[in-house]
Amino acid sequence: MGIIHWIITFLSAGGGSLLTGEKPTEEQKRWIKEEMHGKEVIAKNSKDRKGTIVHKYSNRGKGQLREAIIMDGAPFLLRYSEEKGFLYVEPSVDEKTRILRPPNVEECPYEPYEFTSQSLNSYYLPLAKKETINSLYQKIKEKIKLFNDVDDQVLSLLSANVIGSYFQDRLSTVHYLFIVGGNGTGKSAFGDTFECLGYRVVNITNATEAFWYRVLGNVENGQVTIVAEEIDRLDENSQIMNMLKT
């Protein structure tokens, strides 16, 4: 699992604060300034810049993972430098036939991952390097237990699906959870919990097939995770059923 996924998962699991009094080292300051290009990068990544929105991009696993974030109020694609050991951002990915850009806040169908420029390398990166998939799983499990009255077997299943949502682009098939029950049984509670902890969760109710296609996109798999409420008539919509099978 990449360092960027650690940071995104750690943030989702409720770790830390976005504001920190810790400051980057002088080496970090110099490197970040060179790589981020200061205000010029933010200006280049303005709302007027056209392109295809991506929430994450890795060239189908062949390249380095980039994750869309909001840093100091502006959208960027976050990368990790193995050579330098630091995180840095890019305004877009410019390819021969297209420009891939991160969404602005108002373009995110989910709650965006927000950071300050100082918190990325001075606060979150050291914490992320200490985490393992097991420690993150336990953190997620503790959060789910606070808001869902279920037995340990179900709790483990729900927790595994939450952390599994961060790897869905690496799997040939994914696990679908269908939560059923009468009113007051906690169906929506888990949907809300998953929305807070899962990977870029879009919580929708009775959405049209056009919305599904627009949110999932056509650039790369695993862009978002969808929690669909009131989906008891899913079998009556052949277009959505075919899309899910595909």
Side-chain angles (χ1 to χ4, degrees):
M1 188 179 188
I3 194 71
I4 298 178
H5 266 155
W6 283 146
I7 291 175
I8 297 296
T9 314
F10 180 81
L11 177 61
S12 300
S17 166
L18 290 180
L19 299 177
T20 172
E22 299 181 41
K23 296 180 179 180
T25 64
E26 291 302 317
E27 183 183 2
Q28 286 177 322
K29 287 180 180 179
R30 289 195 302 271
W31 189 81
I32 292 170
K33 183 178 180 181
E34 292 173 359
E35 292 296 328
M36 294 185 179
H37 305 298
K39 295 182 180 179
E40 293 180 4
V41 172
I42 297 178
K44 184 180 179 183
N45 196 35
S46 67
K47 296 180 181 179
D48 296 330
R49 183 172 173 78
K50 297 180 180 179
T52 301
I53 291 177
V54 290
H55 307 291
K56 47 81 65 178
Y57 183 66
S58 64
N59 191 21
R60 295 173 295 175
K62 299 176 183 178
Q64 189 175 10
L65 174 66
R66 298 169 173 88
E67 289 281 357
I69 65 166
I70 302 296
M71 187 184 74
D72 295 330
F76 293 98
L77 291 169
L78 179 68
R79 297 179 65 182
Y80 177 69
S81 171
E82 294 283 354
E83 180 183 357
K84 296 291 186 179
F86 296 146
L87 292 159
Y88 66 101
V89 295
E90 299 172 324
S92 63
V93 176
D94 295 359
E95 297 183 335
K96 290 182 179 180
T97 59
R98 62 184 179 180
I99 296 174
L100 305 177
R101 69 171 180 87
N104 291 284
V105 172
E106 64 272 17
E107 295 173 315
C108 292
Y110 49 81
E111 189 69 24
Y113 300 121
E114 298 190 59
F115 299 89
T116 64
S117 56
Q118 288 191 354
S119 69
L120 276 174
N121 284 294
S122 65
Y123 184 75
Y124 282 106
L125 183 59
L127 290 175
K129 287 183 175 181
K130 296 177 183 178
E131 297 291 341
T132 67
I133 192 168
N134 290 325
S135 65
L136 290 170
Y137 170 78
Q138 292 301 325
K139 284 182 169 69
I140 289 172
K141 193 172 184 179
E142 291 171 4
K143 296 293 183 181
I144 294 177
K145 190 175 182 179
L146 287 175
F147 302 100
N148 297 268
D149 186 15
V150 294
D151 60 41
D152 190 69
Q153 185 177 6
V154 175
L155 179 62
S156 298
L157 176 65
L158 300 182
S159 303
N161 274 269
V162 169
I163 199 166
S165 66
Y166 291 82
F167 302 98
Q168 55 192 315
D169 58 338
R170 300 188 180 188
L171 305 174
S172 59
T173 185
V174 293
H175 187 200
Y176 285 79
L177 282 177
F178 282 86
I179 311 298
V180 297
N183 294 333
T185 55
K187 300 189 302 297
S188 296
F190 177 64
D192 293 339
T193 309
F194 201 115
E195 183 179 5
C196 294
L197 298 176
Y199 178 72
R200 302 189 187 279
V201 178
V202 182
N203 200 331
I204 60 176
T205 302
N206 290 327
T208 64
E209 51 269 22
F211 179 86
W212 286 71
Y213 279 110
R214 184 168 66 252
V215 168
L216 292 174
N218 59 3
V219 174
E220 187 171 275
N221 292 334
Q223 292 289 309
V224 300
T225 308
I226 292 180
V227 170
E229 295 272 7
E230 306 299 333
I231 202 167
D232 49 305
R233 294 185 178 181
L234 176 64
D235 58 315
E236 297 178 11
N237 192 320
S238 59
Q239 288 184 300
I240 292 181
M241 287 290 287
N242 290 334
M243 179 195 64
L244 292 176
K245 290 177 182 178
T246 303

